[in-house]
Structure formats: C-alpha cells, structure tokens
Amino acid sequence: MTTAPLTEDTVGHWRCPIDLRRYDRSPVLSEAEQRAIRELGLRNLRRLRYHDPDAPQWAAIERLLRPLHDVNASFNTPPTMHLRRAMNDADAVLLLRCADSGHTYWDWTEQDWLNLLGRNHKAFQAQVPGWAEGAVRPFLCGHAYHLGGYAGFNQLGHFDRLTLACRIFGHRLVEEEIGHVRTVLTGWGYRYGQEHDKGTPSVMSQLFLLNRSPHTSDLTTPLFDRVRQENLLTGEGMKVLYAVQRAVAALGFCDPPALRSTPEVVGHAGVPPVWAVWVERWTATTTMTHRSRFNSRAALLKAGRWIAAEQPEAADPAAWSRQTCAAWIAAVDRMKIGDYVVRTSSLQERLGQPLQAESKAGLVRAVRVFFRDIHDWEWLPRKFDPLRALALPRSINAMIGPNPRVIADDIWAKLLWAGLNLEAVDIPQGKAGLIYPVELVRAITLTWLFSGQRSNEIARLRLGCIRWQHDGASVSGNSAQILAQDAVCLLDVPAHKTGTAFTKPVDPLLGQAINAWEVIRPLQPKRVDKRTGEQVDFLFSYRARAVSSGYINSTIIPMLCYKASVPAADVRGSITSHRARSTIASQLYNAKEPMTLFELQAWLGHRSPESTQHYAKISPNTLTKAYKDAGYFARNVRTIEVLVDRDAVTSGTATTGQPWQHYDLGHGYCTYTFFEQCPHRMACARCDFYIPKDSSKAQLLEAKDNLQRMRASIPLTDEEQAAVNDGQAALDRLLDRLADIPTPSGPTPRQLLPIIDVRRDTAEDR
C-alpha cells in the first residue's frame, strides 16, 4: 500500500504522510526474511519496482518493503530515470544492512543511522557498496527521517538540506515559507547572493526538519533556544540563525533573539571566598553602566588576590582598617603589569613593566567606591572614611591630567582627503561583495571626521538627526534649499556619557552624506537604546542590526589610512576613533577665529570646562604667536639707536674724554658713556651731556660719513615700562620722582629746569 503525495491540510499545519502505526515494527529480522533477502540478491533488490508480490521471497519481506514504498511515494521528486534508480538503490542498501545486522531498521539507533549516512561523503562511500552513487545518500536521509525519526543532519557535514526539505515537505511549500522570511530580510537590506542570504534556505530547511514542520508559524522561541544550546547548526549557520529569528519575530511567530551580554572573563581564581561573595553582591547592586561595573569588578577581584597573598586577615571587608587601606595604596603604587592577574597570555610583551598612573588610579578608585557604597548602604558599620583613607596619592595624581592625543595636522588632512574621496573600491568587501552600501560607509566616515563625537554616540545617532536651518527657518530632512551656501547644518546628538541630548552645528558635507544614506536606507525595525531604554530608529542600521561602535576602529580607520598612505599609528599610539575628537576640538580651539573654551564645551557636549580641557590643546604655532604678541622681550628691554664716531675712536681723542657715543633719544643725543646706568635715560633731564637735534653740533655730527649706526638694548624698570606703555601720565610720575636725583653732570633736573628754559628761549631767538 502506498500513500498519496505530500499535501497540506486545511489548517495550514503540515501533516506527515507516513503513519508509523500502520506498520509491523518488530525489531528482530526473522530467519525467513534474512533468507529471502539473500536469495533475491543484489540484482533483484536494486530493481524493486519490478518485483513480483506473489513470489515467495518478495512476500516474505513485505513488511519491510511497504514502508519503503510509502516513503518513496511521499517524496516530491522529478520522475527521472536517474532519481528512480537512486531511490531503488537506497532501498537495497537498507535491506542489505538489515540482513547483515539481523535487526530491522525500526530498531536502529541514531548512531546506527549516522554510521550508515556517514559524517561526510567519503565516510558514506566507505560504509556502502561501491555501486551506491552519491545520489543515494539524500534518499537514505529521507528514510532515516521518516522511519527512524533521525534529525541529526547537523552531523552530516556539507549536505544539501534544502533539497531534502523539499523532498520531504514539498518544493512549493518550502520555497513559499522561505520566501516569507526572505521578504522581511530583503526589506532590511539583505541581498540575494550575499553571505546571509545564501545561508538562509539551508538554515530554515534545518529548522523545518528539526521541527518536523515546514511552516514558519511553527518556529517557536524554544526551538531557536534549543538550536543554540545544542549547537545544531554548522559553519556560518549560527550567524544566519540570528537574522532568521529576527525575521520570524517580525512576522509575529516568536520572540526576537536575546542580546548577547558581555561574558565575565574574570574568574574567582585566587580570591578569598568571602571577598568574592562581597564583590558579587556589590556588582549585582551598583547602578554603574555595564562596562564600568565589570571593570570595577575586575579591579576588586585583583584586590582580592592581593589580599590572599599579602593580607589574609583582611579577606572579610569588615576587617579592613586605615592600615589596610594604606597597605593597599602602597601595593598599587609599586604594582607591575601581570601582578595578581589570572591570564597573562595577552601581556607577554609588557610583563614586569610598571603600571601607568591611570591604571593605578583605577585600582584605588574601585576599592574606594566599593567601601563607600557598602558603608552608605549600611551593609557594614563605618570604621574609616573611604574618601580619605583611600584617596589617590599626590604622587600618582600629579601624573594624571589633560593630555589630548591630537593627530598631526598633516596626517589629519590626508585622512580628511581620503574620507571626502571615498569610493566603492576602497571599501573592504566580504565573500559576496560589499558588506555595507557605499552611502552608509561614507556617512559613517564623514560623521567621524566632522562631528567630533564618541564612537558609541555615532553608532546611536537617530534617524532624522540632521536638520537644516535656512533663512532663520529649520528644515528637517532633505530639501532643495539645503545646498545653499548660507544653510546651517545641525546635528542632534542623543543622551551620552556626560550629559543629555543636545544639538550642534556641523559642516554641510556631513549633512549631505547622511541625507544621501537616509534616501536609500531600508526600513529597519526599532531597537532599544541601552543608555535611554527607548525604542528608536538608529540611523546607521542595516540588516535589522545597528552598526557596531567598534566599526570605526576596525574598518573605517584602517581603510582611510590605506587610502591616504599614512601609518595607522604615530608617536602617540594607534589612530583611534576617540583621537579624532581631540584633534577636531584642538583645531577649533586654535583656529584663526577660535572658539572660546565655553563655546567648545557646548559643542562637545561637556558638563564642565574641566572635561573640555582634556580634549582642547593649544598648538605650538598658536602658542608661538601668542608669545610674540605678548612682547616679553620688548616689555623688559628697549632698543635704542647709537651713533659711534669712528674718527674719534681711531684718532684717540675718545681717550681724552671727548664724546664718541651718541644715544639717539629722538629729540636729541646723549653723550654719556654709561647711558644704561643713568636714572634719567627714559626721561632725559637735558644735562650737559645732552645735545639737541636742532643744534649746529648735532647737524655736524649727522653730516659725518664715518658714523657707525648700532642698536643697544636697555633694560627697563617697572616705572620706565609704564612710561613706555601707558603714556604721558606715567611719564609725568617718572619725572616727578626723578626731579631731585642728580644727573651724570651733577645738577638735579629741578636745578636744570631754568637753564633748559633759557636754552629753549635762545634757540627760538636764533
């Protein structure tokens, strides 16, 4: 008796065409059945379609033949001669294996079926006679599925599961159900021929076989969980499973896959049990962010290993005192890389080197916060003040301060050029082509180059985050006006590490790149923003998942460095996403018309200017210009022109007391040899050493051809500086102070005043 071909019932759930209750499933093969199989021989068994039911040998094995015929009739296969021959050969293989083992296929275990099918094609050929072609194996899998309940197809290596699913469930039904999921994935950005899409039919076929149903509506959350827990998919199948479950969840048939949490890589090895219990209790209670919580946990477990080695009596936090705190800080100050850690494989090159100041501060801070919290939560009575007993030592704190790792201007300019000229050939590709569209990669690249935001903030930008302000009006999204030169591009930044959401101006090139991506961006499902807990549309989302915050470091920066022919590291270390934030901030702070510190604080989104100082660094060029403008040398020293009479020097008359140096005061010349020591040098009292420029003696001096013009630097006192810088009022004060101080010739300026007036009158008469 044979069954009808595979059909669907009216309720939409698949019904297996093979009813095992109708068959005689005795496990032991009788002697008559064994003798009949051997008498028929290989030639007759391979031609089962020509068998004579009335012949005694065929009648003896009827209970074995009927299930095989029913399964063959249920297969949805083209009626070709080659497939019919392979189907008959599969039946012959099963009957011969029954005769050899003495048991019917009803009694075979999963391991027996696996031994017959083989873990790969070579293993299968070794298990069956040489006449069994490769096309026999898929039919044997179908018999194993129906008659033995076998579903361990993940153990069969490279195997066409789609063909097997189509044979068992029907080609039209399987393709239709896979098409539902493919439609969802295509809408999210998956494309035919790419890695995920090539694996989708195979993964869904495996799920259909495991679930014994070809309907997507029957794919439940427990099934997906079981596949993950038992690792029932091979190769890239586990990666594709995530996308398939997302699509099935979007269709409303299961829950979306749970987000994978960060594994706890730090164990309790070497930590006193009582200390480990307190650390885990604190970790489960603190409200720090996920990363900060587990970084602090690692530091506390490191402190626990130090306790086990150096302070075993302090294993219980209740036993800690100020002396224990002092011992811990001293140990941290002398600690080296590799001390009190479990895994050192990644630290081989740095083992034994002193810890950096930031690492020491992190260890001290973790223990300080730990004790502060357990005291505030009244888990332990307060025996000491953690803020004082575990304060960071001045010797460590002095080495921590603003130190922006700015990228050199020439390297940054090349990276900008590479980003602005990015093409499809520059983008790394997967096995099936571009992993992300060019527009998406270009938008992320320009956001990194122009926005000055952290990488996780870039990954969390929302759809519609670009707004254009034109003629005083705000325009959202793309607009014909946004290309106008006077349009202002505004970027909405979500809540971040140090503050709430804010809006900042950015270069229009960035806005145009984001708008270009938004035009072709496939519709994506909303995702939860971990920081705010909101369901949002992430801007940089593709194939139903947000682009990783590590994508900039792992892909964008190496790509730009290669295109710009610049090294991926400089004297300050590797070029990372966060260094761009310091570079942009420093360039804005050192521009020709720079941002003030408070303006830069608002642009970066900081709560206080102290945070901004860790990003903005005055460039050497700006500092040099400011130093020159300050006029430090000119403020303390004044240069004055000196006329040297070379004739007086060569003739020897200078040795007789005749003047040979003449200091140009502007209104006259001073012939006093020790002019720089004269208290009246900047407010000349016009003593006997003074020669007015309008006198005949001065005119004769200037007419000489042998004059040598030189410049002398004169140091200035505070009052003289004020007289030079502040003008007449300061000069009058200086004159009043010098009124009774003798000049180099003897008289004071007060005594010389009548003489000066007489000289002035005489000059006017002449």
Side-chain angles (χ1 to χ4, degrees):
M1 177 180 179
T2 60
T3 60
L6 178 66
T7 59
E8 297 179 68
D9 59 18
T10 56
V11 297
H13 292 279
W14 181 73
R15 182 177 56 200
C16 181
I18 306 301
D19 186 0
L20 300 182
R21 295 172 299 179
R22 298 183 299 173
Y23 306 118
D24 179 2
R25 292 183 290 169
S26 300
V28 179
L29 196 68
S30 65
E31 293 183 3
E33 291 172 331
Q34 287 187 353
R35 186 171 53 254
I37 294 175
R38 297 190 185 282
E39 289 178 355
L40 287 171
L42 176 62
R43 184 172 181 277
N44 289 315
L45 292 177
R46 296 185 65 186
R47 301 171 54 126
L48 284 178
R49 65 181 183 276
Y50 302 122
H51 80 282
D52 182 5
D54 297 330
Q57 294 90 345
W58 294 110
I61 58 173
E62 178 62 21
R63 77 179 184 99
L64 300 177
L65 293 175
R66 190 161 67 104
L68 298 179
H69 290 166
D70 291 346
V71 171
N72 289 335
S74 71
F75 287 152
N76 190 320
T77 57
T80 64
M81 184 63 66
H82 175 71
L83 290 179
R84 286 184 178 274
R85 185 182 302 113
M87 194 181 303
N88 290 335
D89 286 349
D91 294 342
V93 168
L94 290 175
L95 292 174
L96 290 173
R97 179 59 63 93
C98 289
D100 292 339
S101 64
H103 294 271
T104 64
Y105 43 72
W106 302 113
D107 191 42
W108 292 355
T109 64
E110 182 174 345
Q111 185 61 43
D112 293 330
W113 285 106
L114 178 60
N115 292 337
L116 175 64
L117 300 174
R119 294 185 179 275
N120 51 53
H121 184 70
K122 283 187 176 181
F124 168 73
Q125 291 291 349
Q127 292 290 334
V128 298
W131 49 264
E133 300 178 355
V136 173
R137 193 181 185 213
F139 287 102
L140 289 175
C141 291
H143 287 294
Y145 184 79
H146 281 303
L147 303 180
Y150 183 80
F153 300 110
N154 58 300
Q155 306 176 63
L156 302 184
H158 182 69
F159 181 72
D160 191 353
R161 291 157 181 81
L162 176 61
T163 300
L164 178 60
C166 290
R167 251 174 218 173
I168 293 175
F169 303 117
H171 186 276
R172 181 182 62 83
L173 178 58
V174 171
E175 288 292 341
E176 180 180 332
E177 293 296 327
I178 294 177
H180 296 328
V181 173
R182 261 183 166 170
T183 300
V184 176
L185 295 178
T186 302
W188 289 345
Y190 291 94
R191 288 179 289 177
Y192 290 104
Q194 288 198 345
E195 178 181 351
H196 287 79
D197 187 74
K198 288 193 299 183
T200 300
S202 178
V203 168
M204 292 202 64
S205 298
Q206 178 80 332
L207 294 175
F208 291 157
L209 293 170
L210 287 173
N211 206 35
R212 307 192 73 83
S213 170
H215 292 283
T216 307
S217 57
D218 293 336
L219 299 178
T220 61
T221 303
L223 173 65
F224 286 103
D225 294 340
R226 176 193 166 202
V227 172
R228 287 191 177 88
Q229 293 169 3
E230 300 180 13
N231 197 25
L232 298 180
L233 291 174
T234 59
E236 298 293 329
M238 296 302 294
K239 297 180 180 179
V240 181
L241 184 69
Y242 179 87
V244 170
Q245 186 173 357
R246 289 295 305 276
V248 175
L251 295 172
F253 302 135
C254 72
D255 297 331
L259 295 177
R260 185 171 50 191
S261 59
T262 303
E264 298 181 8
V265 296
V266 181
H268 294 165
V271 180
V274 61
W275 181 266
V277 170
W278 277 96
V279 170
E280 296 302 337
R281 183 183 178 188
W282 174 86
T283 303
T285 309
T286 183
T287 57
M288 289 181 176
T289 61
H290 183 81
R291 175 179 292 183
S292 298
R293 181 166 66 251
F294 283 96
N295 285 343
S296 297
R297 175 182 178 273
L300 291 173
L301 293 179
K302 191 171 186 177
R305 298 185 188 95
W306 168 79
I307 291 171
E310 305 294 338
Q311 301 279 338
E313 69 280 359
D316 190 339
W320 273 58
S321 62
R322 290 184 62 90
Q323 290 74 21
T324 314
C325 296
W328 166 244
I329 292 178
V332 170
D333 189 42
R334 296 163 178 79
M335 199 171 290
K336 293 180 172 53
I337 295 176
D339 293 348
Y340 308 112
V341 297
V342 177
R343 301 175 183 174
T344 60
S345 56
S346 61
L347 306 172
Q348 292 300 323
E349 297 180 356
R350 299 185 296 150
L351 283 177
Q353 298 179 10
L355 288 180
Q356 295 184 355
E358 291 81 0
S359 300
K360 295 178 181 179
L363 292 173
V364 175
R365 180 172 54 251
V367 177
R368 180 173 64 246
V369 172
F370 171 73
F371 278 101
R372 182 202 66 188
D373 288 345
I374 63 178
H375 288 167
D376 290 345
W377 299 336
E378 298 182 351
W379 291 356
L380 287 178
R382 187 183 297 270
K383 296 174 57 177
F384 58 89
D385 183 2
L387 300 181
R388 296 186 62 186
L390 291 166
L392 192 64
R394 183 179 300 177
S395 59
I396 298 177
N397 196 33
M399 294 186 289
I400 301 175
N403 186 26
R405 295 201 303 152
V406 177
I407 302 173
D409 288 346
D410 56 337
I411 295 179
W412 185 248
K414 292 179 181 179
L415 293 176
L416 279 174
W417 171 86
L420 293 173
N421 294 276
L422 194 63
E423 299 177 356
V425 294
D426 303 318
I427 302 174
Q429 300 186 14
K431 297 179 181 179
L434 292 177
I435 299 175
Y436 291 120
V438 178
E439 292 80 2
L440 171 59
V441 179
R442 185 178 291 117
I444 297 177
T445 300
L446 294 187
T447 303
W448 177 66
L449 290 171
F450 286 97
S451 70
Q453 295 304 125
R454 304 175 182 89
S455 58
N456 67 321
E457 294 166 1
I458 294 175
R460 292 174 46 246
L461 288 176
R462 315 289 176 79
L463 189 65
C465 61
I466 287 295
R467 292 185 290 117
W468 297 88
Q469 201 166 29
H470 186 76
D471 293 335
S474 180
V475 180
S476 298
N478 205 349
S479 172
Q481 293 181 332
I482 64 176
L483 297 179
Q485 294 182 355
D486 57 346
V488 178
C489 182
L490 301 176
L491 175 68
D492 292 331
V493 181
H496 52 98
K497 175 182 177 181
T498 58
T500 57
F502 69 102
T503 301
K504 62 190 295 184
V506 292
D507 195 280
L509 287 173
L510 169 56
Q512 293 166 11
I514 290 180
N515 286 149
W517 160 239
E518 288 180 333
V519 170
I520 68 166
R521 176 184 180 272
L523 184 64
Q524 303 290 306
K526 293 181 180 293
R527 293 178 61 88
V528 175
D529 189 324
K530 293 182 180 179
R531 184 168 293 274
T532 64
E534 302 173 292
Q535 287 276 351
V536 299
D537 286 314
F538 286 121
L539 172 67
F540 299 124
S541 181
Y542 196 63
R543 300 194 188 100
R545 65 175 68 186
V547 176
S548 169
S549 58
Y551 182 69
I552 294 177
N553 280 335
S554 64
T555 303
I556 297 295
I557 294 177
M559 173 186 66
L560 295 180
C561 290
Y562 179 80
K563 182 175 177 65
S565 299
V566 299
D570 56 16
V571 295
R572 302 300 302 276
S574 300
I575 297 178
T576 61
S577 63
H578 207 65
R579 290 187 64 181
R581 184 170 169 87
S582 299
T583 303
I584 297 173
S586 295
Q587 290 190 0
L588 293 175
Y589 195 58
N590 293 280
K592 186 176 182 180
E593 296 182 5
M595 280 186 173
T596 65
L597 185 64
F598 294 102
E599 291 170 341
L600 192 59
Q601 170 194 344
W603 194 81
L604 292 175
H606 289 149
R607 287 187 180 271
S608 67
E610 294 181 1
S611 300
T612 308
Q613 292 176 0
H614 288 267
Y615 293 89
K617 183 177 183 180
I618 298 179
S619 68
N621 292 337
T622 302
L623 198 59
T624 301
K625 182 178 182 302
Y627 178 79
K628 289 182 178 179
D629 293 343
Y632 170 77
F633 183 79
R635 177 177 177 83
N636 294 276
V637 177
R638 187 174 183 183
T639 304
I640 188 169
E641 188 176 32
V642 184
L643 301 181
V644 179
D645 189 346
R646 298 178 63 183
D647 283 347
V649 175
T650 56
S651 63
T653 56
T655 59
T656 62
Q658 294 296 322
W660 61 279
Q661 292 182 99
H662 301 80
Y663 292 88
D664 189 353
L665 304 178
H667 48 77
Y669 295 102
C670 178
T671 61
Y672 183 51
T673 304
F674 304 101
F675 172 80
E676 69 278 359
Q677 300 177 11
C678 177
H680 303 275
R681 59 194 175 192
M682 301 306 299
C684 185
R686 303 189 181 186
C687 63
D688 293 340
F689 290 95
Y690 177 75
I691 301 176
K693 276 197 173 182
D694 54 0
S695 65
S696 57
K697 187 175 181 180
Q699 294 174 359
L700 290 174
L701 175 67
E702 293 176 353
K704 290 185 176 182
D705 295 333
N706 64 341
L707 286 179
Q708 181 177 355
R709 296 181 179 270
M710 303 177 64
R711 289 188 175 272
S713 299
I714 310 299
L716 304 180
T717 65
D718 292 342
E719 292 179 341
E720 290 172 339
Q721 293 174 23
V724 173
N725 298 330
D726 300 340
Q728 187 61 43
L731 182 60
D732 292 341
R733 292 193 298 270
L734 180 61
L735 290 173
D736 292 341
R737 190 184 66 81
L738 298 174
D740 297 319
I741 296 178
T743 63
S745 61
T748 65
R750 197 182 303 278
Q751 295 171 345
L752 291 173
L753 186 59
I755 301 176
I756 295 173
D757 292 340
V758 170
R759 289 177 179 174
R760 184 181 297 112
D761 294 341
T762 304
E764 290 176 355
D765 292 342
R766 288 199 301 268

